[in-house]
Amino acid sequence: MIIFFRRAVQDILRNKILNVITVITIALSIIIIGSFAIFIINTNDILDSWKQCARIMVYLRPDISKNEIPGIKQKIIGIYGVKSARFIAKDEALSLLRNKMKRQAAILDNLRKNPLPDAFEIEMTPSCTDKRKIESIVTMIESLPFVDDLEYGQKWIGQFADIMRLFRLAGFAVGGLFFIASVFIVANTMRLVLYSRREEVEIMRLVGATERFIKIPFFIEGIIQGILGGITGVVVLYIAFVFISSNLSQGILTGFLSLRFFHFKVLCSIILCSMFVGWLGCFLSFINFKKI
Amino acid sequence: MINGRSEMSIIRMFHVYRYYGKKKALIDINLDVYKNEVLFLSGPSGAGKTTLLKLLYLGESVSEGQVIVDGINLSRISFKRIPALRRKFGIIFQDYKLIRTKTVFENVALVLEAAGRKSRLLEKKVNSVLRIVGMEDKRDLFPPSLSGGEQQRVAVARAVVGDPKIILADEPTGSLDSESAGIVFDLLKRFHTRGATVIIATHDKHLITQAGARVVYLNNGYLQTHTNI
Ligand SMILES: Nc1ncnc2c1ncn2[C@@H]1O[C@H](COP(=O)(O)OP(=O)(O)O)[C@@H](O)[C@H]1O
Ligand SMILES: [Mg+2]
């Protein structure tokens, strides 16, 4: 086995160009599939975080008096799917608004009466953040007598989620296609390698080498190439990821989200996978290779 | 074809034919090669010498007839046992067939590795054979950087390193000057005295008369088994 390993390493060092091509091929496929996967993971994350901040604002009728508020709060919290309800008095709302408007706040000083209504900010339990459940909560709240108006961002988040689901499906399909394509490209590169070495294989056969003896180093080579390609791909992905995410977080998305790279387990399985691709490429290239 | 010496034959060919399409390269060959003899296979180029040698190690298979090597009937051998058959032979190919991406040492060592020999003994053995053929100091060079005569000697070293029962030499002196040819032939005789059967295909009449061994003559695919030409 040590002999086989030594031969494999020697062969890699002596056929540098073809080996580099194979490694790059594997690395490229990993980069393409990997960037798809990272994109999907992170858009999923963003969607989740948006779902979490999905809130319903309930504006109360102006004729509701202060001492009715605790009763109303009880009613709202009693609805299935509501996690919490925070009362925002109209004065509090006005001062919030004033803070937000900063310099233009002077406009508000001219108001004789606070035009804002009292409101409740409702947060939902995480299990109730999909489109249909939220809509059922909304209709229930709307039917309550003290509600004047109601506002929620879930409509477009729901649509966005639908698009994302489609996107993810497309991502899997494209990823799968790229996987098959990269196996074939690797197989073809290997066949090229083998073709350039068919004389060597023929000579080994003529001096009485068994198929096992001839093929094992090739397979070891394939696996080593797979590992090298996998590591190269992952490293390039990581560098690109760090670069892009630091640029993004300096921009519009500050503090809003932290981008995620692959989990360690996923990284390991990517490298395992590329090992398998190396092996499979070797296996495929030995099919329809002359037998004797 | 049964005769008194059959148990002494290491190779027997019965009514062997080999066609390449319509071309008949070998026609009704009957030949016994005896253990530990030196046999010259002579004849002009294109006579079928290389083809006959190939049939012995299954580089090609017969179109008709039977070949028996060391008790094995080649028409019945399984695919899996071909490597073991080939390890009975040490072959010096007409075009040397050295692996150009492996060093002289590795080319010779390959035979022993393929036979599963231990690597510590292997290095000693390869070095000693390389010393015999006078290529010891070029063991780390690659074949393309060697002269024809040097490649020939590496090919000889590879053919004999595994102590084969049968040595096949296809035009072993073909492209060499007479001095190098003499060295190569001396080497072959040396391994013959160690017990190997040696078959030399050649059209070099000088080599044949010098050797004084049995000669069979191939012409246009027909074999004539008289002893002198
Ligand atoms: N692979 C082949 N395909 C077709 N014809 C061949 C092949 N090998 C040999 N021949 C023909 O068989 C004949 C014998 O060839 P060969 O055995 O190489 O002769 P020698 O070694 O005596 O010079 C020649 O006419 C040659 O053209
Ligand atoms: Mg010939």
Side-chain angles (χ1 to χ4, degrees):
Chain A
M1 207 62 204
I2 299 165
I3 288 178
F4 289 141
F5 221 84
R6 213 186 46 213
R7 251 173 69 204
V9 172
Q10 235 168 37
D11 287 343
I12 287 180
L13 293 178
R14 287 193 187 147
N15 296 289
K16 280 195 193 87
I17 298 172
L18 271 173
N19 280 292
V20 166
I21 291 172
T22 315
V23 168
I24 289 176
T25 313
I26 296 175
L28 272 181
S29 347
I30 283 174
I31 290 169
I32 293 169
I33 299 170
S35 28
F36 255 98
I38 289 179
F39 181 74
I40 288 169
I41 289 176
N42 283 297
T43 40
N44 249 4
D45 276 6
I46 294 172
L47 199 68
D48 281 347
S49 68
W50 283 350
K51 275 181 180 170
Q52 243 138 55
C53 20
R55 292 198 166 91
I56 303 176
M57 289 299 292
V58 180
Y59 301 107
L60 304 182
R61 289 210 325 257
D63 55 327
I64 304 289
S65 73
K66 270 226 159 57
N67 37 12
E68 284 174 273
I69 298 296
I72 291 172
K73 184 170 179 170
Q74 281 311 310
K75 268 196 187 143
I76 291 176
I77 287 181
I79 294 170
Y80 174 78
V82 173
K83 187 175 151 201
S84 66
R86 190 170 76 90
F87 178 67
I88 302 172
K90 49 185 166 189
D91 300 335
E92 192 187 337
L94 188 66
S95 65
L96 277 177
L97 189 62
R98 213 183 279 275
N99 270 341
K100 266 192 197 161
M101 287 174 75
K102 285 177 191 156
R103 258 188 285 167
Q104 287 92 329
I107 301 168
L108 299 176
D109 295 339
N110 297 330
L111 295 170
R112 253 183 289 130
K113 207 179 125 215
N114 184 353
L116 300 175
D118 289 329
F120 274 100
E121 186 186 67
I122 295 173
E123 215 180 301
M124 276 144 311
T125 54
S127 62
C128 292
T129 46
D130 82 48
K131 199 174 155 187
R132 251 185 306 146
K133 284 192 180 135
I134 287 184
E135 271 166 5
S136 75
I137 293 171
V138 164
T139 41
M140 254 193 284
I141 295 174
E142 266 175 340
S143 65
L144 294 173
F146 47 80
V147 174
D148 185 32
D149 197 7
L150 184 147
E151 212 174 70
Y152 67 107
Q154 201 58 35
K155 266 183 205 150
W156 67 272
I157 287 182
Q159 270 159 4
F160 188 74
D162 284 346
I163 292 170
M164 276 311 301
R165 256 190 291 278
L166 210 74
F167 216 82
R168 190 160 37 176
L169 217 69
F172 279 126
V174 172
L177 269 175
F178 267 108
F179 180 77
I180 294 168
S182 60
V183 169
F184 273 96
I185 292 169
V186 171
N188 259 350
T189 318
M190 295 269 188
R191 186 172 297 171
L192 215 69
V193 173
L194 215 60
Y195 187 77
S196 76
R197 293 170 64 180
R198 70 199 181 287
E199 193 189 21
E200 181 184 338
V201 171
E202 186 208 346
I203 291 170
M204 288 203 273
R205 282 174 174 161
L206 287 177
V207 301
T210 57
E211 291 303 292
R212 205 177 81 93
F213 179 83
I214 295 169
K215 285 178 184 173
I216 285 178
F218 277 100
F219 279 108
I220 294 176
E221 256 179 77
I223 290 171
I224 290 177
Q225 285 167 342
I227 295 173
L228 286 181
I231 291 173
T232 312
V234 164
V235 166
V236 169
L237 262 184
Y238 187 71
I239 291 170
F241 172 81
V242 168
F243 182 74
I244 290 173
S245 65
S246 69
N247 268 12
L248 269 186
S249 53
Q250 273 164 22
I252 34 166
L253 299 172
T254 319
F256 179 46
L257 78 166
S258 56
L259 293 177
R260 203 151 57 100
F261 196 61
F262 291 121
H263 198 268
F264 182 69
K265 271 185 205 156
V266 180
L267 286 181
C268 289
S269 45
I270 287 176
I271 288 169
L272 266 175
C273 228
S274 53
M275 247 169 81
F276 175 71
V277 168
W279 179 87
L280 191 65
C282 211
F283 180 80
L284 289 178
S285 63
F286 268 116
I287 299 177
N288 48 354
F289 195 72
K290 198 174 149 244
K291 282 266 159 60
I292 302 177
Chain B
M1 274 320 299
I2 297 163
N3 63 45
R5 296 178 76 183
S6 70
E7 77 274 12
M8 296 174 68
S9 300
I10 194 161
I11 293 168
R12 314 197 74 188
M13 300 178 91
F14 299 103
H15 304 291
V16 168
Y17 292 77
R18 172 71 212 197
Y19 315 122
Y20 288 112
K22 281 196 167 169
K23 161 100 197 157
K24 292 176 177 173
L26 293 171
I27 300 150
D28 198 21
I29 305 292
N30 291 285
L31 176 68
D32 273 43
V33 181
Y34 309 113
K35 279 176 187 154
N36 196 24
E37 78 165 328
V38 175
L39 175 71
F40 280 98
L41 187 59
S42 75
S45 73
K49 303 184 293 294
T50 301
T51 305
L52 193 149
L53 295 183
K54 279 181 180 168
L55 297 181
L56 301 179
Y57 60 85
L58 283 178
E60 304 272 4
S61 46
V62 297
S63 304
E64 277 177 51
Q66 304 273 323
V67 178
I68 293 167
V69 173
D70 200 21
I72 302 165
N73 188 332
L74 300 194
S75 55
R76 303 219 188 98
I77 194 169
S78 72
F79 180 70
K80 271 197 153 171
R81 287 184 56 202
I82 291 177
L85 168 76
R86 287 179 180 163
R87 288 202 290 270
K88 291 182 190 295
F89 292 96
I91 310 167
I92 304 163
F93 298 94
Q94 196 165 359
D95 54 354
Y96 316 139
K97 289 200 192 301
L98 300 175
I99 298 172
R100 64 187 70 208
T101 55
K102 289 189 187 297
T103 63
V104 166
F105 179 88
E106 288 163 354
N107 264 284
V108 177
L110 180 68
V111 176
L112 297 181
E113 284 173 355
R117 303 283 180 87
K118 289 261 158 53
S119 60
R120 203 186 307 158
L121 300 171
L122 186 147
E123 178 147 6
K124 251 190 182 165
K125 177 87 189 176
V126 174
N127 280 336
S128 84
V129 172
L130 284 176
R131 194 178 314 127
I132 292 171
V133 301
M135 290 296 292
E136 201 189 15
D137 47 338
K138 301 203 169 166
R139 50 166 272 172
D140 294 322
L141 298 181
F142 292 89
S145 65
L146 301 176
S147 74
E150 289 170 331
Q151 289 188 39
Q152 184 75 280
R153 280 190 271 163
V154 177
V156 172
R158 186 183 61 187
V160 300
V161 73
D163 293 319
K165 285 188 169 173
I166 307 158
I167 294 172
L168 305 179
D170 197 354
E171 311 279 3
T173 58
S175 57
L176 303 181
D177 55 274
S178 61
E179 195 187 337
S180 310
I183 295 171
V184 167
F185 185 63
D186 285 345
L187 282 170
L188 289 175
K189 273 203 295 200
R190 191 167 169 165
F191 287 99
H192 168 244
T193 56
R194 290 190 185 181
T197 305
V198 180
I199 304 176
I200 303 171
T202 184
H203 60 257
D204 183 347
K205 290 200 174 81
H206 180 69
L207 184 67
I208 296 171
T209 45
Q210 189 189 23
R214 183 160 77 110
V215 180
V216 292
Y217 190 75
L218 256 182
N219 196 9
N220 242 332
Y222 291 96
L223 187 75
Q224 293 154 293
T225 49
H226 52 80
T227 30
N228 37 5
I229 21 168

